Amino acid sequence: MSAADFLDALAAQWRAERVAAREKFAAARRGTSLRARVARGLAIADLTVSEWRPAARDRTRVRLSPPAHVDLDDTGIGPGDPVVLWRQSPDDPRATRGVVSARERHDLWVIIDGELPEGVLEGGCNLDALAPEATFDRGDRAIERARAAKATSALARLVAILCGDREAAFAPAPLTRDRVAGLSETGAPTWEPLDRALDPAQRAAVTAALSAHDVALIHGPPGTGKTRTLVEVVRQLVARGERVLCTAASNVAVDNLGERLADAGVGVVRLGHPARVSAALEARTLDALVAASDGARLARELTDRARELRRGLGDVRGEEARALRHELLGLLRDARGSLTQAEAYFLDTTPVVLATCAGADAQALGDRTFPTVVIDEATQAPDPLALVAMARGERLILAGDPHQLPPTVVDVGAARAGLATTFFERHAARHPPSLLVTQHRMHADIMRFPSERTYGGALVAAPAVAGHTLADLGVRPDAERGNAVWFLDTAGKDWTDRKGGLDEHDGEVADPSTWNPEQAERVAKEVRRLLARGLPPTDIAVIAAYDAQVRRLRALLAAERARGLEIRSVDGFQGREKEAVLVDLVRSNPDGEIGFLADVRRMNVAITRARRWLLVVGDSATLGGHPYYADLVAAMDDLGAHGSAWADDGDALE
């Protein structure tokens, strides 16, 4: 397919996906009470405004505080999500639309265009999630930008290469020399590793990326140091004097890459507001940098003066009131202008700019371009959003793993037509990427099944991790859970999965997601058993296959969560790792129905998060009809790591 035909087809797929996403959100609200939407994590009720302040480009930042009993982790609402603030109805013309910019402890920050309505300021509001129209708009613009690109432009060249119309170019015979960076006499990039601990496959991937004139691909299976490799690539480019735009499909991946770069001493500025920014990276967000600038200090002074004028408006009338309003608006305009100038300074002088793929279209970036654009998690970025980032660069480095989470696509037809397949996958089919093979995370027994079943046995456990165990951390032994990996089989327990129950107030289904209350109780016991052995809760994660089960486990383990235990869905844990991970597969029924567990990429993510100890809890009778899970159970049998929930009750050791 030619690049032109590809873009035409992509535009149609993206339109279909927008329609499907709109319908999904509309159906969630249609005939559904606020109480039910709150239970499903689609809305938050009874928010109060605890703070507001002007933001750059004629916007306002609003801090909203939910009631004390609300756990924001139980909502599906987070940074980057479009929302509507309302008092009468989310469809009320007076409702205010905005975007969640950050979560700060128990509060949400939302950015809106213009001023905050008086009714919301004084009386609070409710909040509903919206379809991500801005994301679709950015994808539309990116497709049209690619369609209109001149044949001689960098964007047209990159699209032609990724569509197979043109071959990518590389410098000849890449070399490593005893200096940071430069060019050999042949014109090939030469470099000396800044990270001396890079393994041979990682060094080869860096060499390939530095030698690429157009496109380079890095395939990083779990634990093989994909992010570490990207950090080295970016450090080498910065050492040459280049500025780099680093993007990823998710906020989590952007934060991870940004933190590693900051730790390595690279200057970074982060666009957007991730839900959890580490202390090392928090000060490098654009908002934080601007807030600490002289421009922000001036803006605060102007805003304080505007607030004083606002308080005085109630005492004057007529021409004097109009003059005061004019002066007030002028002060706010000058405050925003000062903030916008501060933003431009940081974006123009910082070596690395960080954003999600969609966030690469941020208004703050204007028409800035970069010699190199990096897209991490490229196998999770739908093509229209990858195009958003691509349009900013001359050269493209894609990193990902097609055996982990794919792009989220709602429309079945669009998915089948190609929207669920990425630039990375199609280009990799023609030009094998640099493959990282030494994994530096998992005990060899944890690694064995994913390596053999998913990666053709290619993975090798680094000596430093191949035999590491919880005992190395001082954790007491557990003879009944002695292996590094353990499958706890619930077959025969009759712990049947179900949908959420009816709301007692109005008879609606409170939560349409799947959960398994008895299995959740057992998983909670297993967590407490592990904690009793001496492993800190901050070293443990629970991954549940369904959101309703996540919420149930969070309720059961509230005290442990307060001490640092993490409980998330599979999607929420990609790119993460913990010393010990418990995976709850939830599904147990006489029909062998396993739902979206049939997409085994989700399972591949879940079982590769653990470093030293992995417990998978599932019903082999339900799962065994699927070849992947049948192979998993057989692999556990071979390791002597297949136990029954009938053998004990999971109580903590004495």
Side-chain angles (χ1 to χ4, degrees):
M1 182 183 297
S2 70
D5 289 342
F6 167 79
L7 291 171
D8 288 343
L10 184 62
Q13 295 159 21
W14 198 237
R15 285 194 298 271
E17 179 66 5
R18 184 197 286 261
V19 171
R22 282 176 177 167
E23 176 55 29
K24 176 183 175 182
F25 279 85
R29 286 218 309 263
R30 191 183 301 125
T32 306
S33 69
L34 174 60
R35 182 190 299 275
R37 298 198 303 277
V38 168
R40 300 175 190 185
L42 301 174
I44 306 174
D46 301 324
L47 293 148
T48 58
V49 176
S50 55
E51 187 179 349
W52 64 274
R53 62 181 68 158
R57 299 181 301 280
D58 297 321
R59 300 174 303 163
T60 300
R61 294 187 72 215
V62 187
R63 184 173 186 164
L64 298 170
S65 300
H69 68 272
V70 173
D71 187 339
L72 291 177
D73 281 345
D74 285 341
T75 75
I77 299 168
D81 290 338
V83 295
V84 58
L85 311 181
W86 58 275
R87 291 173 57 77
Q88 303 299 325
S89 163
D91 299 316
D92 190 321
R94 294 167 294 181
T96 301
R97 295 179 179 242
V99 176
V100 177
S101 64
R103 279 174 49 179
E104 186 174 313
R105 295 185 294 276
H106 190 59
D107 296 343
L108 283 178
W109 281 97
V110 175
I111 290 184
I112 65 172
D113 290 330
E115 303 295 332
L116 184 66
E118 290 289 338
V120 172
L121 181 62
E122 296 172 359
C125 62
N126 303 306
L127 178 151
D128 266 82
L130 294 174
E133 297 290 344
T135 298
F136 285 109
D137 290 343
R138 288 171 171 175
D140 283 341
R141 288 195 296 270
I143 294 169
E144 289 308 310
R145 193 180 297 120
R147 279 169 152 173
K150 294 182 179 179
T152 56
S153 69
L155 179 57
R157 170 172 48 85
L158 292 174
V159 172
I161 289 168
L162 291 172
C163 289
D165 280 357
R166 179 173 175 173
E167 288 298 315
F170 291 85
L175 303 171
T176 300
R177 280 174 32 174
D178 292 330
R179 59 194 181 94
V180 171
L183 289 175
S184 70
E185 293 181 358
T186 64
T190 63
W191 63 287
E192 177 65 18
L194 297 170
D195 182 352
R196 297 284 180 175
L198 291 174
D199 66 44
Q202 292 168 341
R203 292 188 181 212
V206 174
T207 297
L210 295 178
S211 70
H213 290 314
D214 306 301
V215 178
L217 269 58
I218 300 173
H219 181 184
T224 56
K226 171 172 59 68
T227 302
R228 185 174 198 166
T229 305
L230 285 178
V231 167
E232 181 71 18
V233 172
V234 174
R235 291 176 72 189
Q236 294 290 339
L237 295 174
V238 169
R240 296 179 179 182
E242 285 194 23
R243 298 183 69 239
V244 183
L245 174 63
C246 289
T247 69
S250 70
N251 276 304
V252 171
V254 175
D255 294 341
N256 187 31
L257 181 56
E259 183 178 345
R260 301 281 190 90
L261 287 165
D263 287 345
V266 179
V268 301
V269 56
R270 172 69 159 96
L271 299 182
H273 299 273
R276 288 183 174 85
V277 178
S278 69
L281 191 58
E282 184 176 3
R284 301 304 305 177
T285 59
L286 183 59
D287 275 6
L289 291 168
V290 169
S293 69
D294 290 338
R297 283 190 284 274
L298 174 59
R300 285 193 292 272
E301 292 173 6
L302 295 171
T303 301
D304 288 343
R305 287 167 54 190
R307 284 174 173 159
E308 291 177 9
L309 288 178
R310 188 172 182 272
R311 284 194 291 269
L313 276 174
D315 301 327
V316 296
R317 297 290 185 274
E319 187 61 34
E320 185 178 359
R322 284 192 291 274
L324 280 178
R325 288 193 188 92
H326 180 75
E327 184 178 356
L328 185 154
L329 292 174
L331 289 169
L332 292 176
R333 183 174 58 251
D334 291 344
R336 293 187 174 99
S338 181
L339 294 171
T340 300
Q341 289 178 8
E343 284 185 348
Y345 169 79
F346 290 112
L347 291 172
D348 289 335
T349 60
T350 308
V352 175
V353 175
L354 300 156
T356 61
C357 291
D361 194 35
Q363 188 177 352
L365 280 176
D367 58 0
R368 293 174 178 83
T369 59
F370 300 79
T372 301
V373 170
V374 172
I375 304 181
D376 195 6
E377 280 188 347
T379 49
Q380 203 174 347
D383 290 344
L385 300 187
L387 282 171
V388 175
M390 286 167 54
R392 296 277 182 187
E394 297 284 331
R395 174 173 55 176
L396 186 63
I397 298 173
L398 302 174
D401 179 9
H403 301 298
Q404 296 190 55
L405 294 179
T408 299
V409 179
V410 177
D411 186 81
V412 175
R416 290 174 177 165
L419 191 59
T421 307
T422 61
F423 282 126
F424 184 106
E425 294 165 90
R426 288 189 293 273
H427 193 66
R430 297 187 297 269
H431 304 282
S434 299
L435 176 65
L436 307 180
V437 295
T438 304
Q439 70 85 18
H440 303 266
R441 173 188 300 160
M442 295 169 275
H443 186 287
D445 286 349
I446 299 174
M447 178 198 75
R448 184 174 304 176
F449 176 73
S451 176
E452 293 177 355
R453 184 60 169 74
T454 305
Y455 300 102
L459 301 188
V460 178
V465 304
H468 66 181
T469 66
L470 293 180
D472 300 333
L473 304 178
V475 176
R476 290 170 52 203
D478 182 347
E480 301 301 319
R481 314 282 189 275
N483 297 56
V485 59
W486 192 259
F487 184 81
L488 183 64
D489 197 340
T490 66
K493 278 289 189 178
D494 292 328
W495 293 346
T496 305
D497 61 56
R498 64 201 72 178
K499 300 292 185 183
L502 295 180
D503 187 287
E504 62 183 13
H505 295 278
D506 48 31
E508 292 180 290
V509 175
D511 192 338
S513 179
T514 301
W515 68 309
N516 189 323
E518 292 86 5
Q519 189 157 303
E521 294 278 356
R522 180 55 182 265
V523 171
K525 276 191 170 186
E526 294 292 338
V527 170
R528 296 187 181 109
R529 182 181 179 119
L530 182 57
L531 289 168
R533 294 169 58 192
L535 188 64
T538 51
D539 285 337
I540 305 172
V542 180
I543 299 176
Y546 289 82
D547 289 340
Q549 191 79 339
V550 169
R551 288 189 276 272
R552 180 58 181 161
L553 286 164
R554 284 173 175 164
L556 291 172
L557 293 163
E560 291 79 6
R561 283 186 67 217
R563 293 162 47 207
L565 172 72
E566 284 195 65
I567 305 173
R568 294 181 180 273
S569 66
V570 179
D571 301 60
F573 220 82
Q574 178 156 332
R576 306 281 310 286
E577 63 181 53
K578 287 284 186 177
E579 299 294 349
V581 173
L582 297 87
V583 177
D584 182 351
L585 298 183
V586 182
R587 301 311 300 258
S588 180
N589 56 76
D591 302 320
E593 173 60 47
I594 64 172
F596 62 69
L597 287 182
D599 184 347
V600 298
R601 289 172 292 187
R602 310 181 70 81
M603 188 61 176
N604 186 49
V605 171
I607 64 175
T608 56
R609 303 304 98 195
R611 288 175 50 78
R612 301 171 190 265
W613 193 76
L614 171 68
L615 175 69
V616 179
V617 182
D619 182 347
S620 64
T622 298
L623 300 166
H626 190 286
Y628 178 93
Y629 295 97
D631 288 349
L632 173 65
V633 173
M636 296 302 101
D637 285 334
D638 290 344
L639 287 170
H642 183 182
S644 172
W646 290 96
D648 58 58
D649 292 327
D651 295 324
L653 301 178
E654 294 293 334

